[in-house]
Structure formats: structure tokens, C-alpha cells
Amino acid sequence: MAKKSDTIRSTENESQNDFDKQNAEILWFKDLHAKDIDIAGGKGANLGEMTQNGVPVPPGFVITVSTYRKFLADSKLEDKIQALLIGLDVNDSKLLRTKASEIQSLIISAPLSKAVEVKIEEAYKFMGEGLVAVRSSATAEDLPDASFAGQQSTYLNVDGIHQVIDAVKGCWASLFEARAIFYREEQNFDQLSVGIAVPVQRMVQSEISGVMFTVEPTTSDRGKVLVEAIYGLGEGIVSGEITPDTYMIDKSSLSVTNRQHVPQTWMLVRNMDSTNRDDLNKRVEILNEQANSNKLDDSQIQSIVELGLGLEKAYNSPQDIEWAYQDGKFYIIQTRPITTLTENNGSTAGLEVDENEYPLLLSGAPASPGAASGRVVIVENDDMGNLDRIHQGDILVTEMTTPDFVPAMKRASAIVTDQGGRTAHAAIISRELGIPCVVGTGIATEQLANGEIITVDGSSGRVYKGAIPDA
């Protein structure tokens, strides 16, 4: 292990003396608390709070918001970014993507000061180098009233200081992804007042990963916990690329009241032949025996739920938690408040439908309650230009949504996906927007037709032919 540097000694001593964290360039998780959002962003602050409370969090440090702001100032980028954003109509998707790309190019191409590079390298060496996860942590994310789900970039299996610095700049640039600019505008956040920190933490090579909501998210039932799990790295479940196994747990007894197994044919693992930050991981096929097996047994479910309920108690609010499992141990990757709860407490009911008049076309997981009728518009994930075809009141049908879909999702009256679970991007954003959503149908993009009129019941997970009057 490298010798502890003067910078590291200074950081440790200052933390003991309650130093001015606002001006620190790098802080260890142990130096941070939940209140430090303006220093470490929402994710970084929560990683610090959990570390302080003994939660099994992979260790690491945060490159602070102050470092990002100093980078912008030293590079004289603020005025250039502001000029590109003035008068921008975020609903003009093509122009928004163009401006976003220009801003990101400015950030990526601007040099990072040697002094900051050295401090990042010293911290990376102090934690033992090797594989790390480099994550974005904006000051406007993981908040009680807005999750900003998936707006910025995360890089997994980053190896070596050059890749670390490259990933850090990628995270900074991702603050100006088109989707992030749009979402901030819709939430009335000033574009340049939002800062970003970058947590760098020891990588967990997840054998199993998943998401847990300490309240059932679709019905807001406070007496249930929802756990979803997949094989491999967790990016597949958060994005909605993989439809997970789902476990519903009674909060008082910790017994599993419902389990749904979905065969998994591939998983995401480290790409040993990676050449840049965009190909750090790769898909590998899963053997049939493993593909058809349950991801978690009852003992594992109880262990992760106990961790989740501990976090709910510590934060005094229901939590949305990402977790990973390696070598017999669970790790908490992040936690944030659930932003979409209602007062229904489990009482959300689906439509009463005469299926002779309105035939059932397909079904999936109920992901966001309510019902809506409209015209089907199918959008392929490899053709983002088609998002402009979604008009107000249309029903968006796609394999899965990504954060780039958010402008179109705001125009849609309902969303139906082939893939994903109730904790995936499509589900979370639909609940934030208050529109019905059914996920994990498996066949929606194949079975439904463009222009077809359908009714989506997000409370029951069913999709019907025709426009049902009560929807």
C-alpha cells in the first residue's frame, strides 16, 4: 500500500477537528453525514451517513462539489455553459440533445489541474487502488421530494488512476446530459446552481444484486417490503434491461408472502478487455440451471430485509435501497427516500372490466397505479429520435425506458414495457409523474400495434383492447 500522503493526513486530522468541509477537495465516507448534501451530493452524503452508522457499505471517498466548481472556474466554463443554455426550449428534443452534447464536450476536453489529479491519485492509492465504482452524486438528487433517478452516470469496474480520472470527468459531464437538463428545468432547479460530487468506492463483484423498497411502492402499503433481485451487476435491474425475481415480505413477521421467479438468460459482469469507460462491463450468458433458479433463499431475504428496516428506522422514513451480494455478504450500495408514496396504504384497486367487451391483451407487473386509455406508440430503444412521435395522451410502449425517455414520458398518458420490475426506471419515473405503468410484460412491443387504442391499468398490471370509459 502506498505511503499515507500529507493530503490524506490533513484530511483525517481536519475531520477530527471538525474542519471546514465546504472547501475540502476530497473527503472519506467516514467524514460525511446525511446533512452534507451541498458538499457530497445526495448519494455521497448518504454513503457517509451509513458508514458512520456501521452499515456494510463498500469503503471509499468523495471528490467534493467544491472540486467540481473549482474545475469549472479554472477552466472558465461557467459563462460558456450559461450561453448555451440561455433561451433553450427543453421540449425541443433535437436542440436539447445538441446543446447537451456541446456542453459535455467542453467539460470532457477541459484539462484537470495537476494538483487535483495528484490528490485523487493519493486517495485512490491510499484505499489500495484496484477496481472501483465511480458514481455521480448531484446536490439535487436523492431528495425527499425528487429522486432525479438515473440522471447522471455511474461507471463500474474502473481500474487504474487514468480510468478513474476519466470516469470522474464523465460523471461531471453527465450533469449536462439532455435528460438531466430537462428534468432540472421541469423541477425548477437553476441549471448552474446544481453541483455534483463523485464518490469512488471499492467495487463489489455482485453475484446477486437488487433493489429493495421498505414500503410496497405501487400501493404504498407500509406493512410490506418489496425486494427484487437479479444475477450479476445491478445496472441491469436499475435500467430495466433485466426483469427480476420479485419477493413481497410481510414487515412484521419477515415472512415471504409472494414470490415471482423470472428466468434470467444473461447477466452483466466485468469486461476484462475493456478499452474505455463505455465498455467496462459486458453481457455473458447464464447456464440453464442457474437461469431457472431462484435468486435468493428465505435466509438471504431475511438478512437483506433486516438491513433495509434498519435503514428505514435510522432515516425515519421509507427507503429505496440498492444492494449487492458477494462471497456470502450483503453490501448496501446506496439508499434514498421513496419520493412517490401516497396515503392509500395498500388500497389501490384496479378497474372492473367486462373482458368480453374489452379483451385482455397482455399483463405484467403493476408498477404505477391508475388507468388511462390512448393510442399506442411503439419506440425502439435503439432509435431515440422516435421519442418525438409521442404526443400528449399517447401510450408509450417500449422494451424499457432510460432517463433519456423522460421528456416523452411526461407527454404520455401511460407506459407499458417488455422488461423490468417495479423498481426499474420506468416504474419510478411513472410514479413520480403520476401516470399508470405496467412493466415486464415480455411481449408488449411485439403484440401491440402502432395506432391501436388500448387501456392500461397500472394498479392490476393489465392491458385491455379499446378505450374503457372509466379509465
Side-chain angles (χ1 to χ4, degrees):
M1 181 180 293
K3 181 181 177 182
K4 186 185 293 185
S5 69
D6 291 339
T7 301
I8 302 301
R9 281 199 298 270
S10 173
T11 299
E12 289 191 332
N13 292 336
E14 287 174 325
S15 69
Q16 293 167 2
N17 297 322
D18 195 25
F19 77 118
D20 179 14
K21 291 190 283 190
Q22 292 284 351
N23 297 317
E25 290 163 310
I26 288 175
L27 291 168
W28 296 91
F29 291 172
K30 66 181 180 60
D31 296 321
L32 293 162
H33 297 272
K35 61 182 175 60
D36 292 325
I37 292 174
D38 58 337
I39 298 168
K43 187 181 287 99
N46 281 334
L47 287 169
E49 182 73 18
M50 288 191 290
T51 299
Q52 295 269 7
N53 285 284
V55 177
V57 172
F61 61 90
V62 174
I63 301 162
T64 64
V65 174
S66 174
T67 304
Y68 161 74
R69 294 201 187 283
K70 188 173 187 301
F71 165 76
L72 290 186
D74 290 347
S75 304
K76 297 180 172 55
L77 289 179
E78 287 178 318
D79 289 345
K80 295 176 182 178
I81 293 171
Q82 188 67 61
L84 287 166
L85 291 172
I86 288 176
L88 175 62
D89 178 5
V90 297
N91 291 299
D92 184 335
S93 297
K94 184 176 180 180
L95 180 61
L96 174 61
R97 288 194 293 270
T98 298
K99 296 291 187 181
S101 179
E102 290 179 28
I103 294 171
Q104 290 176 279
S105 294
L106 288 174
I107 293 172
I108 293 294
S109 61
L112 187 60
S113 75
K114 186 63 178 176
V116 171
E117 280 193 9
V118 167
K119 289 185 177 181
I120 294 172
E121 183 173 9
E122 288 174 338
Y124 177 58
K125 286 182 176 179
F126 184 76
M127 70 180 288
E129 303 184 85
L131 295 171
V132 292
V134 180
R135 305 179 184 276
S136 299
S137 179
T139 55
E141 71 170 10
D142 298 352
L143 305 178
D145 55 354
S147 75
F148 285 71
Q151 295 300 314
Q152 282 82 48
S153 294
T154 288
Y155 300 97
L156 305 179
N157 285 311
V158 177
D159 190 17
I161 187 57
H162 296 299
Q163 279 195 1
V164 169
I165 289 172
D166 186 46
V168 168
K169 292 183 73 177
C171 288
W172 286 347
S174 72
L175 190 62
F176 292 96
E177 290 277 5
R179 64 210 187 199
I181 296 170
F182 178 90
Y183 198 74
R184 285 195 295 272
E185 183 73 18
E186 290 295 304
Q187 295 286 338
N188 294 315
F189 279 84
D190 179 72
Q191 295 288 348
L192 280 171
S193 70
V194 175
I196 187 168
V198 181
V200 178
Q201 66 183 143
R202 176 65 54 217
M203 186 68 204
V204 177
Q205 298 298 338
S206 310
E207 299 160 27
I208 310 167
S209 56
V211 177
M212 168 172 45
F213 277 59
T214 62
V215 167
E216 202 290 315
T218 307
T219 64
S220 298
D221 189 337
R222 270 77 170 169
K224 295 178 180 177
V225 177
L226 175 70
V227 175
E228 294 191 330
I230 62 170
Y231 291 123
L233 299 175
E235 188 176 323
I237 190 171
V238 174
S239 67
E241 288 183 277
I242 301 173
T243 302
D245 280 6
T246 300
Y247 307 91
M248 196 69 69
I249 298 96
D250 177 76
K251 190 176 284 188
S252 58
S253 67
L254 299 189
S255 60
V256 180
T257 60
N258 183 272
R259 68 185 80 217
Q260 295 178 340
H261 168 66
V262 179
Q264 183 177 333
T265 58
W266 63 272
M267 63 181 174
L268 202 62
V269 300
R270 181 191 177 196
N271 179 12
M272 302 293 288
D273 300 319
S274 169
T275 57
N276 60 68
R277 67 172 183 267
D278 294 321
D279 72 344
L280 295 168
N281 307 295
K282 66 178 182 179
R283 295 184 179 195
V284 297
E285 290 186 9
I286 296 176
L287 298 176
N288 283 339
E289 183 177 350
Q290 183 182 18
N292 292 304
S293 65
N294 286 314
K295 313 300 187 300
L296 297 173
D297 61 32
D298 284 359
S299 175
Q300 291 170 316
I301 293 169
Q302 182 171 335
S303 295
I304 190 61
V305 170
E306 286 173 348
L307 280 173
L309 295 182
L311 287 169
E312 182 181 69
K313 182 177 180 181
Y315 281 91
N316 196 31
S317 69
Q319 295 293 297
D320 166 1
I321 300 161
E322 293 182 27
W323 55 267
Y325 181 83
Q326 180 186 9
D327 296 332
K329 183 177 180 179
F330 282 102
Y331 296 89
I332 302 300
I333 305 303
Q334 70 180 71
T335 190
R336 54 188 167 228
I338 301 175
T339 59
T340 57
L341 297 180
T342 68
E343 298 305 316
N344 290 324
N345 197 26
S347 61
T348 303
L351 293 173
E352 293 184 9
V353 180
D354 180 353
E355 294 188 15
N356 291 318
E357 187 173 359
Y358 303 101
L360 177 68
L361 297 176
L362 50 88
S363 60
S368 182
S373 300
R375 178 181 70 107
V376 169
V377 178
I378 299 173
V379 176
E380 302 292 339
N381 280 81
D382 57 359
D383 188 4
M384 298 302 294
N386 273 336
L387 288 174
D388 291 333
R389 293 172 44 228
I390 303 291
H391 298 135
Q392 199 69 36
D394 287 342
I395 292 178
L396 169 59
V397 178
T398 187
E399 296 170 51
M400 62 177 185
T401 68
T402 70
D404 292 314
F405 277 67
V406 171
M409 294 172 77
K410 287 186 69 71
R411 298 191 294 271
S413 62
I415 294 168
V416 182
T417 72
D418 288 347
Q419 302 164 358
R422 281 179 273 188
T423 62
H425 179 267
I428 292 173
I429 297 300
S430 293
R431 291 193 293 267
E432 283 193 3
L433 296 175
I435 59 176
C437 179
V438 176
V439 297
T441 65
I443 56 173
T445 57
E446 297 176 3
Q447 187 155 328
L448 300 177
N450 278 308
E452 183 178 4
I453 302 300
I454 63 172
T455 297
V456 177
D457 185 353
S459 300
S460 68
R462 292 168 173 260
V463 177
Y464 300 95
K465 184 175 182 64
I468 298 175
D470 294 337

